Structures are given as C-alpha cells and as structure tokens.
Amino acid sequence: MAKKDTMRALVRRGIDEETADKLAGHFTLSALKKASLEEVQRAGLSEDQASAVLHTLGRKIAAGQAAPEKSVDERQAVINEFTRIKGIGPSKAEALYEAGFRSLLELQLQPIEAIAEVKGIGRKYAAIIKNHLTPSREEAMKKFATIKGIGPSRTQKLWDAGYRSTLDLKVATEEELEEVVGSAATQIKEEVGDLDARDILAKVDTIPPPEIKESEERAALRQAIQAVLAKQDEYLPRSVVTQIIEKIAGKDIPQKKLTELVTRVVEEYNQALMDPLEACGIVGAQSIGEPGTQMTMRTFHYAGVAEINVTLGLPRLIEIVDARKSPSTPMMTVYLEGGYKVNRDMAKQIANKIEITRLINVAEVTTDLGTMTVIVTPHLKALERRDITIEDIEKKLKTVRRAKIKRVNDVIEVKPTEEVYKELQRINEEIKSIKIKGINGIKRAIIRKEKDEYVIFTEGSNFEEILALDGVDKTRTTTNDIYATYNVLGIEAARNAIIHEAYSTLQEQGLNVDIRHIMLVADTMTADGTVRPIGRQGISGEKSSVIARAAFEITVNHLLKAAKKGEVDQLRGVAENIIVGQPIKLGTGSVELSVDVSKMRKKGE
Amino acid sequence: MHFNILKHELVPYFKVLSREEVEKLLSVYGISKGDLPKMVVTDPVSRAIGTREGDVVKIVRRSRTAGESVAYRLIVGTGMGDIRTLESDEED
C-alpha cells in the first residue's frame, strides 16, 4: 500500500492527519492493525496516542460487523467455551463464532433476540443459552445479599429494577445504582467494579450506517472537503458536499482553490439557514394549512388500482395529524421476494393465503329441519380458485363446539350433539362466518405488476402477521396504518411513515408543500417517543399554559379548573402573550436589552 | 422476533452512545438529558438493540433534504402509561 493510501485510510477511520502521517511512514494498514503498543510508539507517538490509535482501529473493525479474527487456536478455544453450554454442540458453537460472538460475556450481555438470529440457533436455543448464563432468582438474590450493605429489602429492590446478576451490577453506573439502593451504591461499586460494555452491547445487532458506494475519486474528494471543513470548524450537510463533488469531479483543483470554494459554499449555506428563534412552527402550520384549503373532500378510487378505495385528500390528512389509531381505509403494500416476485402463480399463492375466505364465500349453507342437520355444500370451482380442499373445510368445521361432522361425498353434514332447535340455529350462524383461510383483517388482496416485479396490494391491514409470512419481503412491505408501523417498527419508522403519508396525500392532490414543514410536524408528533395527535388530546392539550389551552378549546372548563386550583401561568408561550398584550418570545422578542452600568460613561467624562 | 426490524426501509441506523459521548453531546448543545427527544424503552427498536432506561442513542437518518441527518433520542420508561387516559378531576 502506498503511503498516501495508508494515510487516507487512517484519516477515514477517524485518526487526525498529523498522527496518520507519522504512522503511514512506518506501517501499512494491515500491519498497523496487528501492531503492538510499543511498535506504534516507535513511530513517534506517545503512549496515549498509540493506545488511542489502536483503540480506534479495533473499534472500527468491530463496527464493520466482523469481530477481530483470532488465530486458529484462539478460535477453537472460543468454540470450546461455547460448547460447554448444555444444549450447544460444536455446530451451534461455530455458528455463534461466525456471527461475531467472541466470549460468554458477549452472550450474556446481548439481548436474547440477537442470539436467536444466529443461523442455526432459534428462539429455543437462544433461551437455553440465556438460561444457562443467567443465574436463577435464588442464586442472584443470594449473591446480592453477600454484598455489604445489601439486606433483603435492597436485594428485592435490585431484582425489581431488573438486575439479574453481578454482571448487571458491573455494567450499571454508580448513579444508576444510587437510584435503586441509595447510598449502598458506593459499596456495591467497590466490591463489584465497573465494566464498560458499550462496545459489546452495540456490536452485533446494530447494522452499520449504510456506506454509500462512491468511486475512489469521489470518496477522496469528499475526504478533502471534509478536511477543509474540519479545519474551519464548519459543517455542510452531506447532500451539499455531494453537489460540490458533482461540480469539481474530474477537474484538477489545487488545494488553495478548493479551500476557497468550500469557504464560499459554507458562507452561502450559513446564510440560507433559518435564524434561531424563528417561528418555524407557525410558518409550517400555515404552509400546510393554506394548500389544505385547496384540497377537496372527495374520495375517489386509488389511482392505478381500480378496485381498492383509499381515503384521500383532506380527510386523510386530518386522520394523520389526529394520530388516529387506525385509518378508515387501511391498506398494505406487500412486496415479495425471491421466486414469489417474478412468478405470477407464486404471487397468487400468497395473495390467496392472506385474503380472508369465509365459508359462505365458497359453500352453500342450508338447514334441514327434518333431520336437524346443517348441510354445507361447497362450490367446487370456488374452492379450486382459492386453493382450498374439502378436507380444509372439514378441519375448520371441527372447531365448532358441540357438533358432529360427517362427510358425505362432496357435502358435509353437521349435526348438533344436542338435537335442539336452538343449537341448530347457533351452528348455522357460527358456520356461516367461519374463517377458512386468510389473515384477520385482510379483506382483499390484489396483485399488480410494478416495474418488473409483482406486488400485492391489500384492502385491510394486519402488519404484524403479514411480516411473518414466507415469501414476503420484510424490508420493504409497508402499511398506511401509522399506529401499526409504530407498534411493529418503532418510533423512528412511525415518524417516516407520517412524513411519507402526509407528503403523498398532498402530492396526490397536486399540491407542492416543502417537505420540511411536514418533517417538523412529524418530529413534533413523535418527540416524546409515542405518536401524539396535534389536537386537544395530544400536543395542544399538554401545554402548560392555562390561557393557551383555554384559547384553543373548551374555554370555560379550563379557566374554572385553574381558578379553583390557583394555577399560575408563566406567560412563556405565544398565545398567552398575544392575549395579554405583550411581545412574544420569538424573533424580535427573544432578545432583551440590558445595560452594564459600570461601563457607562458619566456625563462630561 | 421473526426478522430484524433494523433492516426495514423505514428504520434508520441506531447506535448506542457511551457515557463519554453522551456527556460530550450534552455539553456541545448546552442541554441536559431530559431535553432530548425520547424513545420508550419498550419500543421495538429499543428491544432489538438492548437499550435500557437512561441510554442515549444516535440516529442517522437518510434525509431527502440533507442526504444524511443526525438525531438523538433518550431512552425513557413507560412511566404511568398514557397520561391522557388518566381521569382529570371532574366537577364536584
């Protein structure tokens, strides 16, 4: 590796230029990774610098999702260690090693899901591993009790707070322990010690930030630009840097010109930024509200898919902003993977699997009062079309309580165990609505070809269960039910879902609203970790100012309650200051003038 | 968990911050931990990466406007549940 390349590689990993320069003169990248502390120091670094460098390199390797490869003997040692766990044989131990686990300690610290994900190890064995490594309740409590200052009550408190072993005590900070056991925390820390497990905890499960593939040349340019920015202690977002690269790629720019270029760009960027304390909330609200008045309140067919109705326009926007628990027309876009997405028949298979089919859809249900039987006559063609057999129907019918099933050729007879008219009626009703096939909630599944793959659109949404199916692309499938997205994928995904839904609702109506306003709304709605509606049940209702709430909705109640309790309004927000007649604390009003009397000149001086 | 939600399109990149990194972050912005946006400890992502109450995660999102954008969230407990459902004191 040439010295320049090594230097660049080191800088890319986070080492400063000067140190990188020194190192590059003595090592290649791979040699450096294997070097010892003394060897690195010989290149002209202090002990601290050397250990910092090795630490960074070590950390970077771990973050690249490949745990440091130990020599063959060490690998075997780790695998043997794993095999000692009851239930884990040599093949599973190997699988654990390949997945990146290097010690029992890591297995103890990683969540059970991370272990279950390893190929060859499912939930069952992950649970076995975890059980083996975590002491039982009695063991743990006994261990806690041996620490000076921890009596039975504090032991219980530790357990209730989630601590399961001395390892947990090691990983926690003294402050955290203080919250649980008060002053005894110091004693615990003295006896148990500390363990910084941040690296281990974050290692296996987090997926590294997707590296955007760039050509060597562009990556180098980006490096250079970042270096200039770092020197000036300025910031440019990634997309702006990309634009600079677009302009100068291929041209040979001397360093001085590049610096000047970057400086100019930084100037322009800083000027384009919004001022601090600008009233961005109201600007955003108006920017969304104004085009809202141009939206129609009609609903029409989802453009392209002739059969599925989806709420559009203003009613949909209101649903989103009100954080409704489920939309009035839930819909899912199910992407498929592998063979399922190129083969229409296989796609149809999945569509049939998820679309709900009830018995009355495929069979005729009649009652014969004479013989006290309910007769189920399946339509053979309908069965064929949906890929169901009469045996399937029989199996489902067996779940009917207090009834006897008898198959006669292509017809099924159902008799109540107690031959009473009431029972007959009950069976009749129950049978008619019995679900034969499909996932709850999916009323219809339609296949369409998009670009070069088959996609299933469903009327009705059951996000969790769909994602559990084979053949479904679990990374791209989405639903328009924001609450479901929140429950399955988390708050960040919900934020993205809100932005996507709101933006496309506006787009579809032909309105162009800058996405930043919508991003602000989405950020506000998801700021506390849950999806809060904007209205009085949510953000507006949680304001601390009485006057602001009274001005928003239900005026008299708020004022009465506040008066009863003797509440104080700090007059910190916008609404209350306007009502009272003072300048608001945004923009101009964010600044107060003050005078330093000691610096004032006396008259005549 | 049948699959890794962190791989889904809608879910950005998460990283747990070490104690030093958290302190640096708080001092750079001049805030305290409670001022950060939050994520509940029972959140599917929080469960997947094994964070506990009090941790801070760094989030790198793909952004249409800036290419990449960094955000932080403080992991928070479920507390009393939904405050909104607590009955407010009614009239006498």
Side-chain angles (χ1 to χ4, degrees):
Chain A
M1 238 176 140
K3 177 176 172 190
K4 207 166 70 169
D5 296 314
T6 313
M7 215 189 104
R8 218 186 293 147
L10 289 173
V11 172
R12 205 185 313 149
R13 276 164 174 69
I15 299 175
D16 66 285
E17 273 182 51
E18 211 187 300
T19 323
D21 193 56
K22 282 191 202 157
L23 290 166
H26 291 259
F27 298 97
T28 62
L29 189 60
S30 34
L32 185 57
K33 282 186 193 169
K34 295 196 205 117
S36 71
L37 201 68
E38 293 88 14
E39 287 171 344
V40 178
Q41 278 181 272
R42 253 180 268 146
L45 275 72
S46 74
E47 194 181 324
D48 286 331
Q49 286 176 317
S51 84
V53 163
L54 287 174
H55 194 55
T56 319
L57 284 182
R59 186 100 63 78
K60 279 292 171 179
I61 298 173
Q65 240 188 359
E69 285 299 318
K70 304 193 175 188
S71 69
V72 183
D73 292 318
E74 289 179 326
R75 178 175 184 272
Q76 196 53 45
V78 173
I79 295 185
N80 288 342
E81 185 84 35
F82 288 164
T83 333
R84 277 179 30 211
I85 303 176
K86 190 170 168 210
I88 306 298
S91 58
K92 292 203 174 60
E94 259 197 73
L96 283 171
Y97 188 90
E98 293 307 319
F101 291 96
R102 292 287 176 274
S103 65
L104 288 179
L105 179 65
E106 289 173 28
L107 287 176
Q108 275 178 300
L109 287 173
Q110 290 288 343
I112 190 172
E113 286 90 358
I115 305 178
E117 267 203 347
V118 176
K119 245 194 162 106
I121 302 191
R123 291 225 67 152
K124 182 169 148 213
Y125 283 102
I128 292 178
I129 297 177
K130 273 291 179 182
N131 274 336
H132 179 94
L133 293 171
T134 323
S136 70
R137 190 189 156 113
E138 295 96 60
E139 282 175 11
M141 306 264 263
K142 217 168 27 164
K143 200 70 213 304
F144 289 166
T146 60
I147 303 177
K148 193 163 145 208
I150 309 290
S153 72
R154 287 211 169 113
T155 317
Q156 187 61 46
K157 280 195 194 150
L158 284 172
W159 181 271
D160 288 335
Y163 295 97
R164 292 285 175 273
S165 63
T166 31
L167 180 64
D168 290 333
L169 293 178
K170 275 192 199 171
V171 175
T173 58
E174 198 172 316
E175 292 84 42
E176 291 170 1
L177 289 172
E178 248 182 340
E179 281 172 36
V180 185
V181 291
S183 45
T186 340
Q187 186 60 34
I188 298 183
K189 272 298 165 183
E190 260 185 55
E191 284 199 33
V192 159
D194 256 304
L195 181 60
D196 189 352
R198 288 299 136 198
D199 290 337
I200 301 180
L201 280 175
K203 194 169 72 167
V204 172
D205 227 334
T206 356
I207 299 181
E211 299 259 326
I212 303 182
K213 305 280 183 211
E214 272 189 317
S215 71
E216 262 281 343
E217 190 207 350
R218 287 173 170 237
L221 280 175
R222 189 174 290 272
Q223 245 354 93
I225 297 176
Q226 288 291 80
V228 176
L229 287 172
K231 224 175 225 160
Q232 301 178 346
D233 198 20
E234 291 280 358
Y235 167 75
L236 282 179
R238 193 189 177 87
S239 54
V240 176
V241 176
T242 311
Q243 284 180 37
I244 299 180
I245 295 180
E246 292 288 319
K247 294 280 181 200
I248 65 177
K251 309 199 174 93
D252 193 18
I253 316 258
Q255 183 64 28
K256 214 171 105 185
K257 282 278 179 194
L258 183 65
T259 316
E260 198 188 323
L261 172 63
V262 173
T263 315
R264 291 293 202 83
V265 175
V266 166
E267 260 176 49
E268 291 268 338
Y269 174 72
N270 285 335
Q271 292 214 325
L273 280 180
M274 198 177 242
D275 303 315
L277 289 163
E278 176 83 36
C280 56
I282 192 69
V283 169
Q286 290 177 339
S287 307
I288 302 178
E290 183 268 321
T293 56
Q294 297 172 31
M295 281 200 284
T296 54
M297 299 193 230
R298 73 204 133 113
T299 356
F300 54 73
H301 295 282
Y302 188 51
V305 186
E307 301 142 51
I308 299 188
N309 266 333
V310 172
T311 359
L312 300 168
L314 197 56
R316 176 62 187 147
L317 196 61
I318 296 176
E319 270 182 12
I320 299 172
V321 164
D322 272 348
R324 268 191 69 158
K325 292 287 202 292
S326 58
S328 46
T329 50
M331 193 198 88
M332 282 198 296
T333 311
V334 183
Y335 290 94
L336 306 168
E337 57 183 4
Y340 293 94
K341 76 175 177 194
V342 284
N343 189 326
R344 190 172 224 281
D345 292 318
M346 291 181 77
K348 195 108 196 3
Q349 243 182 57
I350 299 199
N352 281 331
K353 216 197 307 187
I354 59 181
E355 196 177 280
I356 274 201
T357 320
R358 298 201 186 275
L359 190 54
I360 28 164
N361 300 133
V362 288
E364 211 181 291
V365 179
T366 49
T367 352
D368 185 343
L369 286 170
T371 53
M372 286 295 239
T373 351
V374 177
I375 305 184
V376 177
T377 333
H379 298 292
L380 295 167
K381 263 240 169 89
L383 285 190
E384 215 188 293
R385 216 186 328 130
R386 297 187 199 226
D387 203 22
I388 311 177
T389 63
I390 305 198
E391 287 76 29
D392 293 328
I393 302 189
E394 264 193 276
K395 210 162 68 167
K396 287 290 172 175
L397 285 176
K398 290 216 172 84
T399 63
V400 180
R401 284 164 303 162
R402 305 194 293 270
K404 283 182 294 206
I405 324 281
K406 187 163 77 164
R407 174 163 172 185
V408 181
N409 294 331
D410 281 339
V411 164
I412 304 180
E413 295 180 358
V414 185
K415 268 185 161 205
T417 36
E418 203 191 328
E419 294 205 0
V420 177
Y421 182 61
K422 232 182 172 177
E423 283 292 292
L424 191 66
Q425 219 186 1
R426 175 190 61 88
I427 294 188
N428 193 355
E429 289 312 308
E430 219 179 292
I431 287 188
K432 278 198 182 146
S433 56
I434 262 195
K435 185 181 79 162
I436 304 288
K437 207 175 185 190
I439 296 183
N440 271 329
I442 313 288
K443 279 195 227 104
R444 213 157 30 163
I446 292 162
I447 309 178
R448 281 214 99 222
K449 188 161 192 187
E450 274 207 353
K451 292 192 195 163
D452 48 352
E453 57 171 336
Y454 288 103
V455 182
I456 300 181
F457 294 95
T458 71
E459 190 178 312
S461 163
N462 190 330
F463 204 36
E464 261 204 83
E465 291 196 34
I466 282 284
L467 290 175
L469 282 186
D470 281 326
V472 167
D473 185 346
K474 304 172 181 24
T475 62
R476 291 196 292 155
T477 301
T478 55
T479 175
N480 70 352
D481 182 344
I482 296 189
Y483 218 69
T485 310
Y486 170 61
N487 281 323
V488 175
L489 299 176
I491 187 72
E492 281 289 318
R495 172 189 173 271
N496 287 330
I498 293 177
I499 296 176
H500 176 81
E501 282 290 311
Y503 194 63
S504 55
T505 303
L506 287 161
Q507 285 249 299
E508 189 272 333
Q509 298 274 306
L511 301 163
N512 198 340
V513 175
D514 195 313
I515 198 174
R516 290 170 177 82
H517 302 300
I518 302 173
M519 285 165 86
L520 179 61
V521 172
D523 275 330
T524 312
M525 284 170 73
T526 57
D528 79 338
T530 61
V531 180
R532 288 182 299 171
I534 301 279
R536 84 164 169 271
Q537 307 92 328
I539 296 171
S540 305
E542 285 169 21
K543 287 195 182 159
S544 50
S545 158
V546 182
I547 303 182
R549 271 179 286 131
F552 184 60
E553 286 176 348
I554 331 175
T555 318
V556 181
N557 285 32
H558 278 118
L559 294 175
L560 269 180
K561 277 200 212 134
K564 250 199 316 190
K565 290 192 214 155
E567 277 195 50
V568 177
D569 194 324
Q570 303 288 342
L571 293 183
R572 282 198 298 216
V574 172
E576 47 271 37
N577 275 299
I578 294 178
I579 290 176
V580 162
Q582 288 177 356
I584 59 179
K585 302 259 193 292
L586 295 177
T588 308
S590 61
V591 173
E592 274 187 28
L593 292 180
S594 59
V595 173
D596 186 344
V597 184
S598 63
K599 296 206 177 126
M600 264 169 54
R601 285 231 185 110
K602 293 221 187 91
K603 233 179 184 180
E605 270 180 34
Chain B
M1 201 165 53
H2 33 253
F3 74 108
N4 193 348
I5 57 170
L6 296 172
K7 294 202 185 118
H8 197 281
E9 264 185 348
L10 292 176
V11 181
Y13 162 78
F14 285 83
K15 176 177 185 277
V16 185
L17 295 182
S18 69
R19 259 158 246 144
E20 304 88 53
E21 289 171 313
V22 173
E23 276 179 35
K24 187 160 157 232
L25 172 71
L26 297 180
S27 71
V28 160
Y29 285 104
I31 55 177
S32 56
K33 253 184 171 183
D35 297 326
L36 290 168
K38 305 173 178 64
M39 168 187 283
V40 188
V41 69
T42 50
D43 190 288
V45 170
S46 163
R47 288 221 192 98
I49 60 179
T51 49
R52 281 221 291 257
E53 215 179 312
D55 289 340
V56 175
V57 285
K58 169 173 164 171
I59 304 167
V60 179
R61 310 164 172 153
R62 288 269 152 267
S63 155
R64 265 191 254 204
T65 53
E68 230 173 46
S69 127
V70 171
Y72 302 89
R73 284 193 189 261
L74 168 72
I75 310 296
V76 133
T78 46
M80 297 186 288
D82 198 338
I83 291 187
R84 291 189 290 281
T85 60
L86 288 179
E87 295 303 313
S88 52
D89 35 301
E90 292 302 317
E91 305 292 278
D92 299 312

